[in-house]
Amino acid sequence: MTAPSQDARIYDARICRLGEGPLWHPRRGQLFWFDILDRRLLSRSPAGDGLSWLFPDMVSAAGWVDDDHLLIASERALFVFDLQTGSRTDLAALEADDPLTRSNDGRADPWGGFWIGTMAKTGEAGHGAIYRWYGGRLERLRGGMGIPNAICFAPDRSAAYYADTSEAVIWRQPLDAAGWPAGAPRVFLDLGPEGIHPDGAVVDAEGCLWNARWGTGQVVRYSPDGQVIDSIALPVTQTTCPAFGGPDFRSLYVTSAADGDPSPDAGLTWLAAETAVAGLPEPRVILTEDVC
């Protein structure tokens, strides 16, 4: 593992067994993230106080709907969550008939839809899938995966990226004008020969992909043609997902996982760097009916 960045600092000291899904809400100016295994949504108030919401099943990823509502993916459903009242309204079942799977990485797309991956709770290969919720329906895009991850989108809307952590591959999937897959995906990065397992990712304003490398403590920036441009290292092993935030979207936040990592700071949430290049605000999830 490379030396940790001198600029990295702890953003939140609460330990997450499996920190994931960081989302900067562009209207609230607030970071949200999840501890999947402990079924929590976490955040911080403007005053810096820790906020937490506990759910009956595992939750993993979110998109923002408006100032007070998030679309959240759980192990059984997609639902709209009211941050003020704590109430929820289910939108669609998500493999609700399969107790062996749960949701994992997900992200809103530029068309107002939401992509979400599922996986076996044991990580067993072949049980994972990627879905898109759009226009009031949930459609399966790809099955037979291990651990879907790294869902993010090119700024020009030409493609989606996603990974299978267990296969150590990131794909680039061309998209049509409505955001649906157009043709077969191609391999963007094959990290298997390096023994690297890609986790969550986000794309910056220049179209470069920032990927958290599970097991290395790194977040690596790749050019649109797959070349390494930069990397940031944290004093933990299991970095899980990056997110851009702050007033100019140059603050790079990174979640991490404590389970299986003996590092003293494992499972904390980090402000890893202030980057020279800006990220992009996450797009709003557009609902087709009034459920808020």
Side-chain angles (χ1 to χ4, degrees), residues 11-267:
Y11 175 72
D12 190 276
R14 287 173 288 179
I15 296 172
C16 293
R17 290 174 60 200
L18 181 53
E20 259 290 5
L23 166 71
W24 181 267
H25 194 305
R27 289 190 186 174
R28 295 175 69 100
Q30 185 175 357
L31 186 73
F32 294 89
W33 68 98
F34 295 89
D35 184 347
I36 296 177
L37 298 182
D38 282 342
R39 301 177 285 115
R40 296 185 297 168
L41 169 66
L42 300 170
S43 188
R44 300 188 69 81
S45 73
D49 300 320
L51 303 174
S52 179
W53 296 265
L54 182 65
F55 295 88
D57 52 5
M58 286 186 278
V59 286
S60 65
W64 68 277
V65 176
D66 57 28
D67 288 6
D68 296 323
H69 296 86
L70 301 179
L71 183 147
I72 292 179
S74 78
E75 61 182 286
R76 299 276 72 86
L78 296 179
F79 63 89
V80 176
F81 183 66
D82 189 318
L83 292 164
Q84 301 302 317
T85 67
S87 63
R88 59 179 281 176
T89 303
D90 285 4
L91 287 182
L94 182 64
E95 299 186 0
D97 59 347
D98 189 347
L100 302 180
T101 63
R102 65 165 174 84
S103 63
N104 196 46
D105 184 78
R107 190 178 298 277
D109 68 36
W111 294 264
F114 188 79
W115 290 42
I116 183 66
T118 61
M119 60 175 283
K121 292 174 183 175
T122 60
E124 184 179 353
H127 293 269
I130 292 179
Y131 296 82
R132 186 192 190 202
W133 186 90
Y134 181 72
R137 64 187 175 98
L138 185 67
E139 182 167 325
R140 186 175 180 176
L141 304 180
R142 179 169 180 170
M145 301 181 71
I147 304 175
N149 251 316
I151 294 171
C152 53
F153 302 91
D156 64 2
R157 302 188 177 197
S158 63
Y161 296 92
Y162 60 81
D164 190 330
T165 300
S166 55
E167 291 190 13
V169 172
I170 301 177
W171 285 274
R172 187 179 190 275
Q173 170 64 63
L175 301 176
D176 67 19
W180 295 103
R186 67 170 179 83
V187 173
F188 175 67
L189 292 171
D190 182 357
L191 300 172
E194 301 173 63
I196 292 169
H197 298 283
D199 209 302
V202 68
V203 174
D204 64 30
E206 295 181 354
C208 297
L209 184 144
W210 297 71
N211 178 243
R213 292 178 163 186
W214 177 268
T216 72
Q218 293 178 301
V219 177
V220 178
R221 186 185 186 218
Y222 294 94
S223 68
D225 62 357
Q227 301 301 309
V228 174
I229 299 175
D230 198 4
S231 66
I232 296 169
L234 295 172
V236 296
T237 300
Q238 293 168 174
T239 43
T240 56
C241 193
F244 284 101
D248 56 3
F249 294 94
R250 295 179 188 269
S251 299
L252 187 72
Y253 298 92
V254 181
T255 49
S256 69
D259 267 16
D261 186 349
S263 309
D265 294 327

